[in-house]
Amino acid sequence: MGPPPGVLPPPQAAPWPGQPGQFQGRPGQFQPGPPQGQPPYPGQWAQPYYGGPGQFNGFQPPKRRGGATRLILFGFAMLVIVGGALAAISVILTGGDSDTTAQPEVTGPSIVPTPTSNPQKGSAEDYLLNAQIYRSGALPEQNCKAASLGNGNLAAQKVYYEKLFSCLNDAWRPIFKGLGEDKEDPGLVVFDKPVVTPCGNFAPLSGRVLAFYCYGNSVMYTDVQQMNKAFGPQQDLAYLMTIAHEYGHHVQGVTGLFYARAAYLQDHPDKKLEYSRRNELQASCFAGVFSKAVASSYPLSDRMSEFREQSSNSFGESPSTPADERTHGLATSQGFWIQNGFNITETKACNTYAARSDLVQ
């Protein structure tokens, strides 16, 4: 079954000022799909928090594991692809009385990564660099006004998540259909009591898990108490980006990118940290593309400075995170890819596997 998802804190260096293949054919030929005999994959954000005293509600870094145990857990996390609630991006999109017809200003990063290598056709690397999802275009615009988070209790969070989840499904469903992947919508479990999943059993406030996506059953799980403790009910963009990022891992699963990465790492274990970051930053970029699809109705109008500030400072790893534990990317890298997805507006913005290494630190 493997260990449960790892910690899921927003590892920021300082609080945001706005808040106190298996290869299934001949060798070298990659075909998306889970390796036979492997347990279900949980998505997780498996990185420790390295902020100062009082940050992230006083959470402290977990004890550093040593020896074989650490290697086993780290290897599992990489293979499993952390899909973490990288809540990768608290972008406080709450807001209120802004003009819902105005289009948010486009500023910040705006690049379309282009592969510079020519891997063997049909290989896992070829799939990661040239997947059809990168040619799927923009998500259809959604009428998705944010539901109130109220006091952040179970009932209020369920209403918020269910509405947002419906918008995510509506936005991504035609993309999947265009790729020939007519799959069922993923599931959603919002819990404040212990839950049993194919990826492990979890109780509220377990470690620092905010949310995770389980590849074993295509269900996203969100810890009500942990989300409320981490963000409170006012930080609605943190909730938005947590779910949109996790849905990004679902996109990776449906399109085969998840399995391609796992297959690639079988032959390139030295790339596990770098490719974990590329994977997580890609999920965040997909979240940015979705944010653009709901920008007018959520709304995001007149909140872009807040969006940029949050996305670049609230989530991701800080420079003090040990180099051998940087699995998700610096907060500045998270902000870059979230904003890049928003600004380009199309999935072609999210080919993080073709991006320069300095953009995935």
Side-chain angles (χ1 to χ4, degrees):
M1 179 66 67
V7 298
L8 250 198
Q12 57 195 43
W16 181 65
Q19 65 177 38
Q22 166 179 348
F23 290 93
Q24 297 176 335
R26 60 182 183 278
Q29 186 70 26
F30 172 75
Q31 296 180 9
Q36 296 179 355
Q38 294 293 324
Y41 296 110
Q44 64 188 36
W45 191 17
Q47 69 183 72
Y49 171 64
Y50 292 94
Q55 294 176 2
F56 194 55
N57 296 286
F59 284 148
Q60 299 299 313
K63 294 181 179 179
R64 295 174 65 89
R65 305 185 185 92
T69 300
R70 184 179 176 188
L71 289 175
I72 291 172
L73 293 179
F74 186 74
F76 175 83
M78 294 306 97
L79 182 68
V80 163
I81 289 194
V82 224
L86 189 154
I89 333 153
S90 169
V91 182
I92 304 194
L93 223 8
T94 332
D97 299 324
S98 40
D99 178 7
T100 59
T101 62
Q103 286 297 317
E105 179 185 1
V106 176
T107 59
S110 183
I111 68 168
V112 177
T114 303
T116 57
S117 61
N118 296 299
Q120 178 183 351
K121 292 295 183 182
S123 66
E125 183 180 10
D126 179 46
Y127 198 89
L128 291 171
L129 289 173
N130 300 296
Q132 190 178 350
I133 181 65
Y134 305 139
R135 299 184 292 277
S136 294
L139 304 186
E141 184 175 352
Q142 301 297 306
N143 182 6
C144 192
K145 186 174 177 59
S148 172
L149 279 165
N151 62 1
N153 64 11
L154 175 64
Q157 285 198 34
K158 282 187 68 175
V159 170
Y160 179 90
Y161 290 137
E162 286 172 355
K163 182 169 184 179
L164 180 61
F165 214 61
S166 176
C167 296
L168 280 158
N169 285 328
D170 289 344
W172 283 104
R173 196 181 295 120
I175 301 297
F176 296 153
K177 186 175 182 180
L179 295 171
E181 299 291 347
D182 195 9
K183 303 269 179 84
E184 292 185 2
D185 296 335
L188 173 67
V189 172
V190 184
F191 66 93
D192 63 356
K193 296 179 180 179
V195 294
V196 177
T197 86
C199 295
N201 304 331
F202 308 95
L205 302 175
S206 296
R208 287 172 289 175
V209 174
L210 293 171
F212 63 96
Y213 174 77
C214 182
Y215 290 94
N217 60 355
S218 299
V219 172
M220 187 183 304
Y221 298 85
T222 303
D223 183 339
V224 168
Q225 295 181 40
Q226 196 77 291
M227 290 293 291
N228 210 348
K229 181 177 181 180
F231 304 114
Q234 296 77 31
Q235 304 248 23
D236 64 307
L237 283 195
Y239 291 76
L240 165 72
M241 299 312 298
T242 296
I243 298 304
H245 169 94
E246 291 304 328
Y247 204 101
H249 288 297
H250 175 68
V251 174
Q252 292 168 327
V254 170
T255 60
L257 287 166
F258 170 82
Y259 304 108
R261 190 182 77 97
Y264 176 82
L265 290 177
Q266 291 176 6
D267 294 328
H268 302 85
D270 59 309
K271 297 282 191 178
K272 59 191 177 189
L273 278 174
E274 176 190 341
Y275 274 58
S276 174
R277 293 193 297 270
R278 291 183 186 275
N279 170 73
E280 293 298 333
L281 293 168
Q282 182 177 72
S284 293
C285 181
F286 286 146
V289 173
F290 171 76
S291 296
K292 179 62 176 180
V294 300
S296 294
S297 58
Y298 189 87
L300 266 174
S301 304
D302 300 326
R303 299 182 66 189
M304 290 312 298
S305 60
E306 183 181 3
F307 181 94
R308 290 190 295 271
E309 189 74 27
Q310 281 281 340
S311 65
S312 297
N313 293 282
S314 295
F315 295 94
E317 290 151 338
S318 72
S320 62
T321 305
D324 64 347
E325 294 181 6
R326 290 189 180 181
T327 57
H328 283 67
L330 296 172
T332 50
S333 297
Q334 287 293 334
F336 179 96
W337 288 103
I338 296 161
Q339 294 170 39
N340 196 57
F342 184 95
N343 290 339
I344 295 295
T345 77
E346 298 184 18
T347 55
K348 64 183 180 182
C350 302
N351 188 353
T352 53
Y353 291 100
R356 302 193 316 259
S357 59
D358 62 308
L359 297 179
V360 292
Q361 294 302 307

